[in-house]
């Protein structure tokens, strides 16, 4: 499977997984899930954030795989740090576009980056990264998966 198709699959699976995750976690409080519209689709939406995060994770894990590193503390730390930076930047871009914070973690433990990231959200993202690695990334790397293309 070419890298482009791997990244497309990662994006789609990450986007769908993110929507399901947000439905479960937000319990229907997210307005883009309840009443999706063009504005939600074109800006920093759940599908975009989780989809691009999945692509970023695939690139990071590909780099570690080329170095013959298996998932380790370092790989997970770099992946988490990268996703937290992405979450912060996406939050600030969303604020510039919308004029208000579309999400914030001010009620969570130790919010940082103008409340777009917190310690609690970091733990949740780390769990999602581990789930992504063992469910999506390894499936994309299996030899039988490559035979399908």
């Amino acid at each position: 499977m070419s890298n482009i198709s791997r990244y497309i699959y990662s994006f789609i699976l990450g986007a769908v997984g993110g929507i399901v995750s947000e439905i479960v976690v937000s319990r229907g409080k997210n307005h883009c899930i309840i009443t999706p519209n063009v504005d939600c689709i074109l800006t920093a939406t759940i599908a975009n954030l989780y989809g691009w995060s999945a692509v970023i994770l695939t690139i990071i894990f590909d780099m570690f795989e080329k170095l013959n590193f298996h998932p380790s503390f370092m790989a997970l730390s770099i992946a988490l740090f990268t996703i937290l930076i992405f979450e912060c930047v996406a939050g600030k871009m969303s604020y510039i576009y919308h004029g208000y914070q579309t999400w914030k973690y001010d009620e969570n433990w130790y919010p940082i980056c103008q409340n777009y990231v917190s310690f609690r959200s970091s733990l949740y993202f780390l769990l999602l990264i581990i789930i992504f690695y063992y469910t999506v990334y390894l499936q994309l790397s299996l030899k039988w998966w490559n035979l399908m293309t």
Side-chain angles (χ1 to χ4, degrees), residues 2-149:
S2 71
N3 280 343
I4 299 298
S5 58
R6 284 171 55 90
Y7 299 144
I8 291 170
Y9 285 127
S10 291
F11 183 89
I12 292 169
L13 294 173
V16 170
I19 290 170
V20 170
S21 171
E22 287 291 325
I23 288 171
V24 171
V25 171
S26 72
R27 296 178 194 89
K29 295 177 187 171
N30 189 307
H31 77 280
C32 282
I33 293 174
I34 299 167
T35 57
N37 56 36
V38 175
D39 188 46
C40 288
I41 293 168
L42 296 177
T43 60
T45 64
I46 294 162
N48 281 329
L49 286 172
Y50 283 89
W52 286 114
S53 294
V55 171
I56 290 169
L57 290 175
T58 302
I59 292 168
I60 290 170
F61 290 136
D62 281 348
M63 289 184 340
F64 274 90
E65 190 176 283
K66 286 178 184 172
L67 297 172
N68 290 323
F69 283 172
H70 296 286
S72 64
F73 178 75
M74 181 179 287
L76 292 175
S77 298
I78 289 172
L80 178 61
F81 184 71
T82 304
I83 295 304
L84 293 178
I85 289 173
F86 183 64
E87 177 90 355
C88 179
V89 170
K92 290 181 179 188
M93 288 172 53
S94 178
Y95 179 79
I96 291 169
Y97 179 81
H98 292 285
Y100 61 91
Q101 282 187 300
T102 53
W103 73 88
K104 59 184 177 178
Y105 300 112
D106 56 348
E107 297 172 5
N108 289 311
W109 310 328
Y110 309 109
I112 58 172
C113 186
Q114 298 174 340
N115 299 336
Y116 289 113
V117 178
S118 73
F119 179 71
R120 187 166 148 188
S121 69
S122 301
L123 293 176
Y124 178 67
F125 293 142
L126 180 60
L127 175 66
L128 290 179
I129 289 168
I130 292 168
I131 291 170
F132 174 83
Y133 180 82
Y134 285 105
T135 59
V136 176
Y137 182 77
L138 289 180
Q139 293 300 318
L140 291 174
S141 298
L142 289 176
K143 291 184 190 297
W144 62 265
W145 187 268
N146 291 332
L147 295 175
M148 293 173 51
T149 58

